[in-house]
Amino acid sequence: MSERESPRDRLMGITPVRRQSFIGFMSAIGSTIVGFISTVYIAHAAGAGPLGAFFLLTAYANILNLIADGGSGGAAVQRIAEGVEENAYFSAYTAVRLFLCLLTVGVLLVARPFLVDLDQAGLFPWLVVAVLVGTAGALAATGVYGRGKAGVSQIAELTGTIVRVLGQVVLVALGYLVAGLAGGLVAGIAATALVNYRFLDLSFVWFQRRHLAGLWAFAVWSFLGGVTAVVVGSVDTILLGHFLPNSDVGFYRTALQLATMALFTTLAVRSSLGPRISRWYREGEVAAIEDALARAFTYAFLLGAPVCTGGWLLGGRLLYYLYGEPFVVAAPALAILFAAEAVTILVTLEGMCLGSMNRPRETFTAAAAAAAVLLLLDLLLIPVVGITGAAAGLLASMVVNWVLLHRSLKRHMVVRIERHSIRVLLSSSAVMGAVVLLYQAVVPLATLPALLGAVLVGGIVYGVLVLRGDQAVHDEIATLARDLGLPWPTWL
């Protein structure tokens, strides 16, 4: 390595999947840390009620953005990633997206008299703005991601998160509460869009009817899949808001945010692998897909396994010290949500694989079944056991989703795991859990430093056991560290 080699040169020398996974992982960590800090502040400054109202706004915005997309975004990513007539497909997608956005906003304005609660809370204008700004951002994000620039997309998301959080914290501090949370959300979407547009290298050209037809062939299933994804992601929030006070929505969504720490590496790997699997499948490289998916499972559970274990052992104390005593009521739901996120790792990776292999019907079938299970269980359980029932419904729906996805994927390829690596990860997590329990017996978790000490001790034990127990994982992390110019301990 040249002494004059810059950090950027070292980063660009890493293989694309490893580099983009690393960028995605660091972006996810950065986004989550910033998001957690803001949520902790807002929970203490505003309480669970405004947080719940904000989460309801985002749930409705997700539904409207889905309608404004109509499945065209997923279809455009698929066609652009195939590397044939990218500009024409991007231009066709832009025309479709703008038309659907204007149609959605028109319908929303007509329906305003029926949205009394939303309007009285002052959230209706923010909902309209979120749809408009979201459309502008979606155009850039789709083009960038379809071109395989997952790292750019992830950095853009991190930038948007930082802008959103800063805006929300400042506005809440000034006393705007719900309006401040909504304004910060819109500012974050706009910031994400600006970063993506900076790196968008597609151009507008005249497109033909066959390009629209090419999008339509995939968009139908992409839209239906999006419907089910929005149902799974939003129905529990909306039903909690219907049956329970907004504060309970805040308790539940805060616990869910904490549980999503288990998905850091999963989301990073999915973003970097998706477009590449599309090309591998188009070129008939099924063996490459099988190898990549097996390695993706290992990467995903590298962080997912210890986070879930730690969450089950320390979840209640984390809620207490991070968000305040009122949020401890969500501890039983949090334990179930960590289990749901563990299954979500499998759903995310196998669903990404099927979708990238141009099998939208099969991903939709699995997601639709999961959405139906979630809706039914939420209607049955939320009125009886509240947020714990919502968490149980999510876990059951994720299990159904994974079982159906796994059966479908096995028909097209060999789905396998790296047995030794997964065994090391799980056994190391179990030992880590035992050490944390022993730590608790010696040092009661009655203060925040004691809790942080438990997290630190558990993390060190897990990391050492994994690096000493799995040579493949050790070599991957060591190589990445050296490529970035970071020191690596010789004793590891």
Side-chain angles (χ1 to χ4, degrees), residues 12 35 59 70 173 215 226 237 255 265 269 328 341 343 346 371 374 381 391 394 399 407 414 437-438 448 457 480:
M12 297 308 293
L215 291 178
T237 302
T265 49
V269 171
V328 177
E341 295 305 319
V343 182
L346 302 173
L374 178 61
L381 297 177
L394 182 62
V399 171
R407 290 178 57 187
V414 177
L437 288 175
L438 179 61
L448 180 58
V457 169
L480 177 61

Side-chain angles (χ1 to χ4, degrees), residues 294 298 415-426 470:
T298 301
V415 181
R416 55 184 175 81
I417 61 174
E418 297 175 330
R419 294 183 180 274
H420 173 71
S421 295
I422 295 297
R423 190 181 302 116
V424 169
L425 299 182
L426 296 179
D470 190 321

Side-chain angles (χ1 to χ4, degrees), residues 36-316:
F36 277 150
I37 292 173
S38 69
T39 304
V40 168
Y41 169 76
I42 293 167
H44 288 280
L51 271 177
F54 169 69
F55 288 133
L56 285 172
L57 170 65
T58 58
Y60 283 113
N62 288 338
I63 293 173
L64 289 173
N65 278 319
L66 170 69
I67 297 172
D69 180 79
S72 59
V77 167
Q78 179 71 21
R79 299 308 181 203
I80 294 171
E82 290 173 353
V84 179
E85 298 185 288
E86 298 103 315
N87 290 324
Y89 279 114
F90 177 70
S91 301
Y93 159 68
T94 300
V96 171
R97 189 68 162 85
L98 291 176
F99 171 76
L100 291 176
C101 173
L102 294 176
L103 183 63
T104 301
V105 171
V107 172
L108 183 59
L109 292 174
V110 171
R112 181 172 186 173
F114 301 98
L115 303 175
V116 179
D117 294 339
L118 194 66
D119 208 8
Q120 288 179 345
L123 293 176
F124 184 87
W126 289 111
L127 190 58
V128 174
V129 173
V131 173
L132 293 172
V133 177
T135 294
L139 297 178
T142 298
V144 168
Y145 185 61
R147 291 280 288 171
K149 299 179 181 180
V152 172
S153 296
Q154 292 152 354
I155 292 173
E157 289 294 333
L158 175 59
T159 303
T161 299
I162 293 173
V163 171
R164 172 180 63 80
V165 165
L166 289 176
Q168 289 177 334
V169 168
V170 170
L171 291 172
V172 167
L174 293 175
Y176 289 99
L177 300 184
V178 175
L181 294 174
L185 172 68
V186 171
I189 297 172
T192 302
L194 291 175
V195 174
N196 278 323
Y197 273 114
R198 172 66 180 79
F199 294 92
L200 180 64
D201 59 359
L202 294 172
S203 58
F204 296 109
V205 299
W206 290 108
F207 57 88
Q208 301 176 13
R209 183 178 299 178
R210 62 186 176 84
H211 297 111
L212 292 173
L215 291 178
W216 173 256
F218 193 90
V220 173
W221 295 109
S222 179
F223 175 73
L224 293 175
V227 169
T228 56
V230 167
V231 169
V232 171
S234 303
V235 70
D236 47 4
T237 302
I238 292 173
L239 290 178
L240 281 169
H242 175 74
F243 289 113
L244 303 173
N246 282 351
S247 57
D248 283 340
V249 179
F251 295 145
Y252 176 78
R253 293 293 301 191
T254 300
L256 181 59
Q257 182 191 55
L258 188 59
T260 55
M261 288 192 301
L263 298 180
F264 279 166
T265 49
T266 304
L267 299 179
V269 171
R270 180 190 66 177
S271 297
S272 60
L273 275 183
R276 284 175 170 77
I277 289 178
S278 294
R279 297 205 179 196
W280 286 336
Y281 187 72
R282 186 169 176 268
E283 296 166 0
E285 298 288 341
V286 177
I289 300 175
E290 294 171 352
D291 292 340
L293 183 60
R295 175 98 309 209
F297 286 135
T298 301
Y299 277 136
F301 281 101
L302 177 64
L303 186 66
V307 166
C308 288
T309 302
W312 290 323
L313 296 176
L314 304 174

Side-chain angles (χ1 to χ4, degrees), residues 303 344 484:
L303 186 66
T344 301
L484 292 170

